[in-house]
Amino acid sequence: EPEVTQTPSHQVTQMGQEVILRCVPISNHLYFYWYRQILGQKVEFLVSFYNNEISEKSEIFDDQFSVERPDGSNFTLKIRSTKLEDSAMYFCASSDRQGHEQYFGPGTRLTVT
Amino acid sequence: GEDVEQSLFLSVREGDSSVINCTYTDSSSTYLYWYKQEPGAGLQLLTYIFSNMDMKQDQRLTVLLNKKDKHLSLRIADTQTGDSAIYFCAERYNTDKLIFGTGTRLQVFP
């Protein structure tokens, strides 16, 4: 069964450093999403992406964040200058219909020290 | 504003039915979803229900929706130890974003 994959599974970085989290969505899906879950809190929407453009973004997704689909298979989330409060589990998801039936990857745990 | 709430824990005996409850505030929700998260894994989509439905059954899973009370439930029949996980409900209204509940940790004991 096709699945969403994410790398790395765990990333440790120092405050102020840039990180890139990578995702490979399900191959025939056209809609892509990033969510995050801070420890002990709810899963929160960050951004959705379709046709090489951001479709929707939350208040969390400020200028420090960017997304890109650099080739036909990868979907990335970049955080330019990480803060301690960026420490969270980041989930990528994809779907073949806008917003509906989003399939999630296993997540990348980001630890900012 | 939008909010989705769930109880944090549920413990059931193997073979019994489990009922996980969820309440939401956005009456405009179009779809409501149930996801399962096992340790170290991502969020697995289990099932969903469209807001004009009252019930949906899928093998051992039954979803009930009470729109008047904004209450959603997931019933798992004949609960097995492999059902032990965190279950999240989520709502969506004509946007891309899912709004998740806090998650309910289901523990199944023999």
Side-chain angles (χ1 to χ4, degrees):
Chain A
E1 187 176 317
E3 57 183 20
V4 177
T5 59
Q6 290 185 243
T7 53
S9 57
H10 190 192
Q11 172 97 45
V12 181
T13 189
Q14 288 192 324
M15 198 166 50
Q17 296 296 304
E18 175 184 284
V19 293
I20 298 176
L21 310 182
R22 300 180 195 279
C23 168
V24 178
I26 294 172
S27 62
N28 63 335
H29 285 183
L30 300 175
Y31 300 89
F32 314 114
Y33 316 85
W34 283 102
Y35 290 78
R36 77 173 186 190
Q37 185 179 28
I38 295 171
L39 190 64
Q41 297 186 22
K42 294 182 180 182
V43 177
E44 302 171 288
F45 171 80
L46 293 177
V47 67
S48 59
F49 190 85
Y50 169 71
N51 200 26
N52 281 320
E53 287 184 350
I54 290 175
S55 304
E56 191 177 337
K57 60 182 181 178
S58 70
E59 293 174 354
I60 303 166
F61 194 87
D62 61 22
D63 292 344
Q64 290 299 310
F65 292 88
S66 63
V67 288
E68 191 180 29
R69 188 153 162 83
D71 53 45
S73 58
N74 289 283
F75 179 51
T76 62
L77 174 69
K78 182 195 290 187
I79 310 175
R80 287 190 183 81
S81 177
T82 50
K83 308 188 206 48
L84 294 175
E85 54 265 36
D86 293 327
S87 294
M89 182 74 90
Y90 287 81
F91 293 105
C92 171
S94 69
S95 68
D96 62 0
R97 287 170 54 186
Q98 186 173 8
H100 187 47
E101 291 189 271
Q102 296 179 28
Y103 290 86
F104 282 72
T108 292
R109 180 170 298 284
L110 176 66
T111 302
V112 182
T113 62
Chain B
E2 307 150 329
D3 198 16
V4 180
E5 295 296 333
Q6 300 176 240
S7 52
L8 292 180
F9 298 102
L10 178 65
S11 183
V12 299
R13 188 179 298 277
E14 191 174 16
D16 288 351
S17 291
S18 309
V19 180
I20 303 169
N21 294 301
C22 173
T23 57
Y24 59 96
T25 56
D26 188 351
S27 57
S28 306
S29 295
T30 312
Y31 285 96
L32 295 129
Y33 302 84
W34 284 103
Y35 282 84
K36 175 185 180 183
Q37 185 180 35
E38 295 180 86
L43 300 164
Q44 177 194 352
L45 177 62
L46 288 177
T47 187
Y48 64 88
I49 189 166
F50 188 52
S51 59
N52 68 354
M53 299 167 65
D54 298 324
M55 186 182 91
K56 181 179 180 182
Q57 186 152 4
D58 184 0
Q59 299 181 336
R60 290 191 297 124
L61 305 179
T62 303
V63 180
L64 294 177
L65 175 60
N66 182 329
K67 281 196 74 175
K68 176 174 163 290
D69 295 338
K70 296 179 196 167
H71 184 266
L72 179 74
S73 67
L74 175 70
R75 179 177 179 269
I76 306 172
D78 187 26
T79 314
Q80 302 298 307
T81 54
D83 295 324
S84 294
I86 301 175
Y87 290 81
F88 293 90
C89 68
E91 65 169 347
R92 187 173 72 86
Y93 167 63
N94 281 350
T95 70
D96 295 346
K97 73 176 179 183
L98 295 172
I99 299 167
F100 283 88
T102 49
T104 298
R105 184 178 294 277
L106 174 64
Q107 183 177 19
V108 182
F109 57 93

